[in-house]
PDB file of all heavy atoms in Angstrom:
ATOM      1  N   HIS A 114     106.040  64.023 132.270  1.00 89.00           N
ATOM      2  CA  HIS A 114     107.416  63.782 131.837  1.00 89.00           C
ATOM      3  C   HIS A 114     107.479  63.339 130.371  1.00 89.00           C
ATOM      4  O   HIS A 114     106.587  62.638 129.883  1.00 89.00           O
ATOM      5  CB  HIS A 114     108.065  62.725 132.729  1.00 89.00           C
ATOM      6  CG  HIS A 114     108.217  63.160 134.145  1.00 89.00           C
ATOM      7  ND1 HIS A 114     109.152  64.088 134.559  1.00 89.00           N
ATOM      8  CD2 HIS A 114     107.524  62.816 135.265  1.00 89.00           C
ATOM      9  CE1 HIS A 114     109.054  64.294 135.856  1.00 89.00           C
ATOM     10  NE2 HIS A 114     108.054  63.538 136.317  1.00 89.00           N
ATOM     11  N   ASN A 115     108.529  63.764 129.704  1.00 89.00           N
ATOM     12  CA  ASN A 115     108.797  63.308 128.348  1.00 89.00           C
ATOM     13  C   ASN A 115     109.154  61.823 128.347  1.00 89.00           C
ATOM     14  O   ASN A 115     109.607  61.285 129.367  1.00 89.00           O
ATOM     15  CB  ASN A 115     109.994  64.063 127.763  1.00 89.00           C
ATOM     16  CG  ASN A 115     109.635  65.442 127.283  1.00 89.00           C
ATOM     17  OD1 ASN A 115     108.536  65.927 127.510  1.00 89.00           O
ATOM     18  ND2 ASN A 115     110.582  66.093 126.631  1.00 89.00           N
ATOM     19  N   ALA A 116     108.981  61.202 127.196  1.00 91.00           N
ATOM     20  CA  ALA A 116     109.623  59.914 126.999  1.00 91.00           C
ATOM     21  C   ALA A 116     111.129  60.156 127.084  1.00 91.00           C
ATOM     22  O   ALA A 116     111.622  61.165 126.562  1.00 91.00           O
ATOM     23  CB  ALA A 116     109.252  59.337 125.641  1.00 91.00           C
ATOM     24  N   PRO A 117     111.889  59.306 127.767  1.00 94.00           N
ATOM     25  CA  PRO A 117     113.347  59.505 127.861  1.00 94.00           C
ATOM     26  C   PRO A 117     113.951  59.700 126.476  1.00 94.00           C
ATOM     27  O   PRO A 117     113.812  58.850 125.599  1.00 94.00           O
ATOM     28  CB  PRO A 117     113.835  58.218 128.526  1.00 94.00           C
ATOM     29  CG  PRO A 117     112.656  57.751 129.326  1.00 94.00           C
ATOM     30  CD  PRO A 117     111.447  58.107 128.500  1.00 94.00           C
ATOM     31  N   THR A 118     114.591  60.848 126.274  1.00 96.00           N
ATOM     32  CA  THR A 118     115.045  61.264 124.951  1.00 96.00           C
ATOM     33  C   THR A 118     116.518  61.637 124.985  1.00 96.00           C
ATOM     34  O   THR A 118     116.995  62.247 125.942  1.00 96.00           O
ATOM     35  CB  THR A 118     114.219  62.469 124.455  1.00 96.00           C
ATOM     36  OG1 THR A 118     112.826  62.120 124.461  1.00 96.00           O
ATOM     37  CG2 THR A 118     114.621  62.878 123.046  1.00 96.00           C
ATOM     38  N   TYR A 119     117.230  61.302 123.917  1.00 97.00           N
ATOM     39  CA  TYR A 119     118.668  61.571 123.825  1.00 97.00           C
ATOM     40  C   TYR A 119     118.951  62.288 122.512  1.00 97.00           C
ATOM     41  O   TYR A 119     118.369  61.961 121.474  1.00 97.00           O
ATOM     42  CB  TYR A 119     119.456  60.263 123.912  1.00 97.00           C
ATOM     43  CG  TYR A 119     119.013  59.406 125.077  1.00 97.00           C
ATOM     44  CD1 TYR A 119     118.058  58.399 124.889  1.00 97.00           C
ATOM     45  CD2 TYR A 119     119.495  59.639 126.361  1.00 97.00           C
ATOM     46  CE1 TYR A 119     117.621  57.634 125.959  1.00 97.00           C
ATOM     47  CE2 TYR A 119     119.055  58.875 127.435  1.00 97.00           C
ATOM     48  CZ  TYR A 119     118.119  57.883 127.228  1.00 97.00           C
ATOM     49  OH  TYR A 119     117.667  57.140 128.294  1.00 97.00           O
ATOM     50  N   LEU A 120     119.840  63.261 122.569  1.00 97.00           N
ATOM     51  CA  LEU A 120     120.231  64.030 121.389  1.00 97.00           C
ATOM     52  C   LEU A 120     121.686  63.700 121.084  1.00 97.00           C
ATOM     53  O   LEU A 120     122.593  64.180 121.772  1.00 97.00           O
ATOM     54  CB  LEU A 120     120.049  65.526 121.659  1.00 97.00           C
ATOM     55  CG  LEU A 120     120.072  66.454 120.453  1.00 97.00           C
ATOM     56  CD1 LEU A 120     118.928  66.139 119.498  1.00 97.00           C
ATOM     57  CD2 LEU A 120     119.978  67.923 120.892  1.00 97.00           C
ATOM     58  N   PRO A 121     121.934  62.877 120.074  1.00 97.00           N
ATOM     59  CA  PRO A 121     123.307  62.430 119.787  1.00 97.00           C
ATOM     60  C   PRO A 121     124.275  63.558 119.449  1.00 97.00           C
ATOM     61  O   PRO A 121     125.484  63.334 119.380  1.00 97.00           O
ATOM     62  CB  PRO A 121     123.119  61.482 118.590  1.00 97.00           C
ATOM     63  CG  PRO A 121     121.711  61.042 118.673  1.00 97.00           C
ATOM     64  CD  PRO A 121     120.949  62.219 119.210  1.00 97.00           C
ATOM     65  N   PHE A 122     123.750  64.755 119.234  1.00 97.00           N
ATOM     66  CA  PHE A 122     124.607  65.926 119.021  1.00 97.00           C
ATOM     67  C   PHE A 122     125.555  66.114 120.198  1.00 97.00           C
ATOM     68  O   PHE A 122     126.685  66.595 120.038  1.00 97.00           O
ATOM     69  CB  PHE A 122     123.720  67.154 118.840  1.00 97.00           C
ATOM     70  CG  PHE A 122     124.482  68.437 118.664  1.00 97.00           C
ATOM     71  CD1 PHE A 122     125.032  68.780 117.434  1.00 97.00           C
ATOM     72  CD2 PHE A 122     124.643  69.316 119.724  1.00 97.00           C
ATOM     73  CE1 PHE A 122     125.734  69.970 117.277  1.00 97.00           C
ATOM     74  CE2 PHE A 122     125.340  70.507 119.571  1.00 97.00           C
ATOM     75  CZ  PHE A 122     125.880  70.832 118.343  1.00 97.00           C
ATOM     76  N   TYR A 123     125.098  65.710 121.391  1.00 97.00           N
ATOM     77  CA  TYR A 123     125.928  65.805 122.589  1.00 97.00           C
ATOM     78  C   TYR A 123     126.685  64.501 122.796  1.00 97.00           C
ATOM     79  O   TYR A 123     126.107  63.408 122.691  1.00 97.00           O
ATOM     80  CB  TYR A 123     125.069  66.134 123.807  1.00 97.00           C
ATOM     81  CG  TYR A 123     124.394  67.484 123.708  1.00 97.00           C
ATOM     82  CD1 TYR A 123     123.013  67.586 123.569  1.00 97.00           C
ATOM     83  CD2 TYR A 123     125.144  68.653 123.723  1.00 97.00           C
ATOM     84  CE1 TYR A 123     122.394  68.834 123.464  1.00 97.00           C
ATOM     85  CE2 TYR A 123     124.534  69.902 123.609  1.00 97.00           C
ATOM     86  CZ  TYR A 123     123.174  69.978 123.481  1.00 97.00           C
ATOM     87  OH  TYR A 123     122.572  71.214 123.367  1.00 97.00           O
ATOM     88  N   GLU A 124     127.952  64.619 123.109  1.00 97.00           N
ATOM     89  CA  GLU A 124     128.828  63.451 123.200  1.00 97.00           C
ATOM     90  C   GLU A 124     128.308  62.418 124.198  1.00 97.00           C
ATOM     91  O   GLU A 124     128.320  61.210 123.926  1.00 97.00           O
ATOM     92  CB  GLU A 124     130.242  63.900 123.594  1.00 97.00           C
ATOM     93  CG  GLU A 124     131.251  62.770 123.603  1.00 97.00           C
ATOM     94  CD  GLU A 124     132.665  63.255 123.890  1.00 97.00           C
ATOM     95  OE1 GLU A 124     132.900  64.487 123.835  1.00 97.00           O
ATOM     96  OE2 GLU A 124     133.529  62.400 124.179  1.00 97.00           O
ATOM     97  N   GLU A 125     127.831  62.874 125.350  1.00 97.00           N
ATOM     98  CA  GLU A 125     127.337  61.952 126.367  1.00 97.00           C
ATOM     99  C   GLU A 125     126.133  61.165 125.858  1.00 97.00           C
ATOM    100  O   GLU A 125     126.019  59.948 126.074  1.00 97.00           O
ATOM    101  CB  GLU A 125     126.964  62.726 127.637  1.00 97.00           C
ATOM    102  CG  GLU A 125     126.461  61.854 128.764  1.00 97.00           C
ATOM    103  CD  GLU A 125     126.095  62.659 130.006  1.00 97.00           C
ATOM    104  OE1 GLU A 125     126.297  63.905 129.995  1.00 97.00           O
ATOM    105  OE2 GLU A 125     125.617  62.060 130.987  1.00 97.00           O
ATOM    106  N   ASP A 126     125.229  61.861 125.170  1.00 98.00           N
ATOM    107  CA  ASP A 126     124.050  61.192 124.627  1.00 98.00           C
ATOM    108  C   ASP A 126     124.425  60.244 123.492  1.00 98.00           C
ATOM    109  O   ASP A 126     123.848  59.152 123.365  1.00 98.00           O
ATOM    110  CB  ASP A 126     123.038  62.225 124.137  1.00 98.00           C
ATOM    111  CG  ASP A 126     122.276  62.881 125.278  1.00 98.00           C
ATOM    112  OD1 ASP A 126     122.724  62.763 126.434  1.00 98.00           O
ATOM    113  OD2 ASP A 126     121.239  63.513 125.018  1.00 98.00           O
ATOM    114  N   MET A 127     125.370  60.652 122.667  1.00 98.00           N
ATOM    115  CA  MET A 127     125.833  59.777 121.584  1.00 98.00           C
ATOM    116  C   MET A 127     126.376  58.475 122.143  1.00 98.00           C
ATOM    117  O   MET A 127     126.070  57.386 121.638  1.00 98.00           O
ATOM    118  CB  MET A 127     126.898  60.487 120.747  1.00 98.00           C
ATOM    119  CG  MET A 127     127.549  59.604 119.687  1.00 98.00           C
ATOM    120  SD  MET A 127     126.438  59.111 118.345  1.00 98.00           S
ATOM    121  CE  MET A 127     126.610  60.567 117.280  1.00 98.00           C
ATOM    122  N   GLN A 128     127.163  58.576 123.201  1.00 98.00           N
ATOM    123  CA  GLN A 128     127.728  57.385 123.811  1.00 98.00           C
ATOM    124  C   GLN A 128     126.628  56.451 124.318  1.00 98.00           C
ATOM    125  O   GLN A 128     126.676  55.236 124.125  1.00 98.00           O
ATOM    126  CB  GLN A 128     128.663  57.771 124.960  1.00 98.00           C
ATOM    127  CG  GLN A 128     129.460  56.606 125.553  1.00 98.00           C
ATOM    128  CD  GLN A 128     130.395  55.969 124.542  1.00 98.00           C
ATOM    129  OE1 GLN A 128     130.958  56.647 123.670  1.00 98.00           O
ATOM    130  NE2 GLN A 128     130.544  54.652 124.620  1.00 98.00           N
ATOM    131  N   TYR A 129     125.601  57.047 124.941  1.00 98.00           N
ATOM    132  CA  TYR A 129     124.491  56.241 125.458  1.00 98.00           C
ATOM    133  C   TYR A 129     123.755  55.547 124.305  1.00 98.00           C
ATOM    134  O   TYR A 129     123.407  54.366 124.401  1.00 98.00           O
ATOM    135  CB  TYR A 129     123.514  57.113 126.249  1.00 98.00           C
ATOM    136  CG  TYR A 129     122.372  56.314 126.853  1.00 98.00           C
ATOM    137  CD1 TYR A 129     122.483  55.786 128.135  1.00 98.00           C
ATOM    138  CD2 TYR A 129     121.194  56.085 126.135  1.00 98.00           C
ATOM    139  CE1 TYR A 129     121.454  55.028 128.683  1.00 98.00           C
ATOM    140  CE2 TYR A 129     120.163  55.326 126.671  1.00 98.00           C
ATOM    141  CZ  TYR A 129     120.291  54.810 127.948  1.00 98.00           C
ATOM    142  OH  TYR A 129     119.284  54.045 128.482  1.00 98.00           O
ATOM    143  N   VAL A 130     123.509  56.286 123.240  1.00 98.00           N
ATOM    144  CA  VAL A 130     122.784  55.730 122.097  1.00 98.00           C
ATOM    145  C   VAL A 130     123.549  54.561 121.481  1.00 98.00           C
ATOM    146  O   VAL A 130     122.965  53.516 121.158  1.00 98.00           O
ATOM    147  CB  VAL A 130     122.529  56.815 121.040  1.00 98.00           C
ATOM    148  CG1 VAL A 130     121.982  56.205 119.749  1.00 98.00           C
ATOM    149  CG2 VAL A 130     121.560  57.861 121.572  1.00 98.00           C
ATOM    150  N   LEU A 131     124.852  54.713 121.346  1.00 98.00           N
ATOM    151  CA  LEU A 131     125.657  53.635 120.753  1.00 98.00           C
ATOM    152  C   LEU A 131     125.673  52.396 121.643  1.00 98.00           C
ATOM    153  O   LEU A 131     125.662  51.269 121.150  1.00 98.00           O
ATOM    154  CB  LEU A 131     127.086  54.131 120.502  1.00 98.00           C
ATOM    155  CG  LEU A 131     127.228  55.263 119.467  1.00 98.00           C
ATOM    156  CD1 LEU A 131     128.683  55.682 119.346  1.00 98.00           C
ATOM    157  CD2 LEU A 131     126.672  54.832 118.111  1.00 98.00           C
ATOM    158  N   GLU A 132     125.673  52.605 122.959  1.00 98.00           N
ATOM    159  CA  GLU A 132     125.721  51.483 123.893  1.00 98.00           C
ATOM    160  C   GLU A 132     124.375  50.774 124.025  1.00 98.00           C
ATOM    161  O   GLU A 132     124.318  49.595 124.385  1.00 98.00           O
ATOM    162  CB  GLU A 132     126.185  51.963 125.266  1.00 98.00           C
ATOM    163  CG  GLU A 132     127.645  52.416 125.295  1.00 98.00           C
ATOM    164  CD  GLU A 132     128.043  53.001 126.636  1.00 98.00           C
ATOM    165  OE1 GLU A 132     127.167  53.098 127.530  1.00 98.00           O
ATOM    166  OE2 GLU A 132     129.235  53.354 126.802  1.00 98.00           O
ATOM    167  N   HIS A 133     123.274  51.493 123.754  1.00 97.00           N
ATOM    168  CA  HIS A 133     121.938  50.921 123.932  1.00 97.00           C
ATOM    169  C   HIS A 133     121.134  50.923 122.628  1.00 97.00           C
ATOM    170  O   HIS A 133     119.908  50.901 122.644  1.00 97.00           O
ATOM    171  CB  HIS A 133     121.168  51.713 124.998  1.00 97.00           C
ATOM    172  CG  HIS A 133     121.820  51.719 126.340  1.00 97.00           C
ATOM    173  ND1 HIS A 133     122.847  52.601 126.678  1.00 97.00           N
ATOM    174  CD2 HIS A 133     121.613  50.937 127.435  1.00 97.00           C
ATOM    175  CE1 HIS A 133     123.214  52.375 127.922  1.00 97.00           C
ATOM    176  NE2 HIS A 133     122.506  51.367 128.409  1.00 97.00           N
ATOM    177  N   PHE A 134     121.830  50.924 121.516  1.00 98.00           N
ATOM    178  CA  PHE A 134     121.207  51.099 120.207  1.00 98.00           C
ATOM    179  C   PHE A 134     120.048  50.129 119.972  1.00 98.00           C
ATOM    180  O   PHE A 134     118.995  50.504 119.458  1.00 98.00           O
ATOM    181  CB  PHE A 134     122.257  50.930 119.110  1.00 98.00           C
ATOM    182  CG  PHE A 134     121.792  51.334 117.744  1.00 98.00           C
ATOM    183  CD1 PHE A 134     121.904  52.646 117.309  1.00 98.00           C
ATOM    184  CD2 PHE A 134     121.225  50.396 116.881  1.00 98.00           C
ATOM    185  CE1 PHE A 134     121.464  53.027 116.052  1.00 98.00           C
ATOM    186  CE2 PHE A 134     120.789  50.755 115.619  1.00 98.00           C
ATOM    187  CZ  PHE A 134     120.901  52.079 115.206  1.00 98.00           C
ATOM    188  N   ASP A 135     120.236  48.878 120.360  1.00 97.00           N
ATOM    189  CA  ASP A 135     119.229  47.853 120.066  1.00 97.00           C
ATOM    190  C   ASP A 135     117.932  48.030 120.847  1.00 97.00           C
ATOM    191  O   ASP A 135     116.924  47.394 120.521  1.00 97.00           O
ATOM    192  CB  ASP A 135     119.796  46.459 120.352  1.00 97.00           C
ATOM    193  CG  ASP A 135     120.903  46.084 119.369  1.00 97.00           C
ATOM    194  OD1 ASP A 135     120.975  46.704 118.293  1.00 97.00           O
ATOM    195  OD2 ASP A 135     121.690  45.173 119.689  1.00 97.00           O
ATOM    196  N   THR A 136     117.931  48.870 121.874  1.00 96.00           N
ATOM    197  CA  THR A 136     116.722  49.046 122.697  1.00 96.00           C
ATOM    198  C   THR A 136     116.022  50.366 122.435  1.00 96.00           C
ATOM    199  O   THR A 136     115.025  50.679 123.100  1.00 96.00           O
ATOM    200  CB  THR A 136     117.085  48.971 124.190  1.00 96.00           C
ATOM    201  OG1 THR A 136     117.894  50.099 124.551  1.00 96.00           O
ATOM    202  CG2 THR A 136     117.818  47.682 124.513  1.00 96.00           C
ATOM    203  N   LEU A 137     116.512  51.148 121.469  1.00 97.00           N
ATOM    204  CA  LEU A 137     115.999  52.493 121.247  1.00 97.00           C
ATOM    205  C   LEU A 137     115.234  52.610 119.931  1.00 97.00           C
ATOM    206  O   LEU A 137     115.411  51.798 119.014  1.00 97.00           O
ATOM    207  CB  LEU A 137     117.148  53.506 121.253  1.00 97.00           C
ATOM    208  CG  LEU A 137     117.983  53.587 122.532  1.00 97.00           C
ATOM    209  CD1 LEU A 137     119.180  54.508 122.319  1.00 97.00           C
ATOM    210  CD2 LEU A 137     117.134  54.060 123.702  1.00 97.00           C
ATOM    211  N   VAL A 138     114.401  53.645 119.850  1.00 96.00           N
ATOM    212  CA  VAL A 138     113.794  54.044 118.585  1.00 96.00           C
ATOM    213  C   VAL A 138     114.451  55.351 118.174  1.00 96.00           C
ATOM    214  O   VAL A 138     114.646  56.249 119.007  1.00 96.00           O
ATOM    215  CB  VAL A 138     112.257  54.210 118.709  1.00 96.00           C
ATOM    216  CG1 VAL A 138     111.876  55.171 119.820  1.00 96.00           C
ATOM    217  CG2 VAL A 138     111.653  54.685 117.385  1.00 96.00           C
ATOM    218  N   LEU A 139     114.827  55.473 116.920  1.00 97.00           N
ATOM    219  CA  LEU A 139     115.534  56.657 116.421  1.00 97.00           C
ATOM    220  C   LEU A 139     114.669  57.376 115.405  1.00 97.00           C
ATOM    221  O   LEU A 139     114.021  56.744 114.560  1.00 97.00           O
ATOM    222  CB  LEU A 139     116.886  56.261 115.826  1.00 97.00           C
ATOM    223  CG  LEU A 139     117.813  55.621 116.867  1.00 97.00           C
ATOM    224  CD1 LEU A 139     117.889  54.124 116.625  1.00 97.00           C
ATOM    225  CD2 LEU A 139     119.185  56.252 116.870  1.00 97.00           C
ATOM    226  N   LYS A 140     114.667  58.708 115.485  1.00 96.00           N
ATOM    227  CA  LYS A 140     113.763  59.498 114.654  1.00 96.00           C
ATOM    228  C   LYS A 140     114.522  60.649 113.999  1.00 96.00           C
ATOM    229  O   LYS A 140     115.304  61.352 114.651  1.00 96.00           O
ATOM    230  CB  LYS A 140     112.619  60.062 115.500  1.00 96.00           C
ATOM    231  CG  LYS A 140     111.803  58.999 116.221  1.00 96.00           C
ATOM    232  CD  LYS A 140     110.722  59.604 117.104  1.00 96.00           C
ATOM    233  CE  LYS A 140     109.908  58.533 117.821  1.00 96.00           C
ATOM    234  NZ  LYS A 140     108.845  59.103 118.675  1.00 96.00           N
ATOM    235  N   ASP A 141     114.265  60.837 112.717  1.00 95.00           N
ATOM    236  CA  ASP A 141     114.791  61.986 111.982  1.00 95.00           C
ATOM    237  C   ASP A 141     114.017  63.219 112.438  1.00 95.00           C
ATOM    238  O   ASP A 141     112.786  63.248 112.360  1.00 95.00           O
ATOM    239  CB  ASP A 141     114.612  61.759 110.485  1.00 95.00           C
ATOM    240  CG  ASP A 141     115.340  62.795 109.644  1.00 95.00           C
ATOM    241  OD1 ASP A 141     115.275  63.993 109.982  1.00 95.00           O
ATOM    242  OD2 ASP A 141     115.951  62.415 108.633  1.00 95.00           O
ATOM    243  N   VAL A 142     114.709  64.241 112.919  1.00 93.00           N
ATOM    244  CA  VAL A 142     114.035  65.397 113.529  1.00 93.00           C
ATOM    245  C   VAL A 142     113.203  66.191 112.534  1.00 93.00           C
ATOM    246  O   VAL A 142     112.290  66.924 112.925  1.00 93.00           O
ATOM    247  CB  VAL A 142     115.049  66.339 114.218  1.00 93.00           C
ATOM    248  CG1 VAL A 142     115.806  65.623 115.312  1.00 93.00           C
ATOM    249  CG2 VAL A 142     116.015  66.954 113.212  1.00 93.00           C
TER     250      VAL A 142
END
């Protein structure tokens, strides 16, 4: 399995990222 990954390009993923921002690592593609 992949590390749980979110693509903010999608609205649902963007919402998740904004709500859990402090617990995530963000990477420039």
